[in-house]
Amino acid sequence: MNSSKEVKQKNCETCNKPFTMTRIRHQCKRCKRTICMDCGKARIKIVTYDLKNPHKVCPACEKENIYLTNFKTTQQSQFGLMSRCAKKWMEKINP
């Protein structure tokens, strides 16, 4: 399969609007989707890069991050500490 650098998307993978001189192409740092600047406004800290600086992500990854953050907070408040199983699950789904 071709890498994302070889095949350039003509439209945003989130809103499907075409890229133009003013609608610039960006890449979600979490899932690698090609997104426009309007869809890439959200920024989150990603473990695989660095935790110091937030990176641009697509709306789907932003929603998933919010869900995971809420889940983690709920788990910690219910059990005091996150279980080993929950920690492993969180590590796998948040690369």
Side-chain angles (χ1 to χ4, degrees):
M1 181 146 215
N2 294 334
S3 71
S4 61
K5 290 183 181 180
E6 292 177 20
V7 178
K8 288 194 175 184
Q9 294 287 334
K10 294 181 180 179
N11 296 333
C12 174
E13 292 184 58
T14 301
C15 67
N16 207 29
K17 292 180 182 175
F19 294 115
T20 63
M21 294 294 282
T22 56
R23 186 174 295 114
I24 300 170
R25 178 180 292 129
H26 294 280
Q27 185 179 35
C28 174
K29 295 297 184 199
R30 191 164 182 274
C31 70
K32 308 297 186 221
R33 284 187 185 111
T34 304
I35 54 176
C36 67
M37 60 187 179
D38 293 331
C39 294
K41 289 183 179 178
R43 292 176 178 267
I44 62 172
K45 293 181 179 179
I46 302 174
V47 176
T48 53
Y49 287 96
D50 61 32
L51 291 173
K52 294 178 185 175
N53 302 316
H55 297 278
K56 289 182 183 183
V57 293
C58 67
C61 288
E62 178 190 21
K63 287 178 187 176
E64 187 174 346
N65 184 61
I66 291 168
Y67 172 79
L68 294 174
T69 302
N70 291 339
F71 176 79
K72 185 177 179 180
T73 304
T74 304
Q75 287 293 312
Q76 288 175 341
S77 65
Q78 283 181 348
F79 302 108
L81 296 171
M82 199 180 335
S83 68
R84 267 188 280 164
C85 180
K87 282 182 185 178
K88 286 182 181 180
W89 181 72
M90 290 293 288
E91 290 169 1
K92 282 186 179 182
I93 60 174
N94 194 12

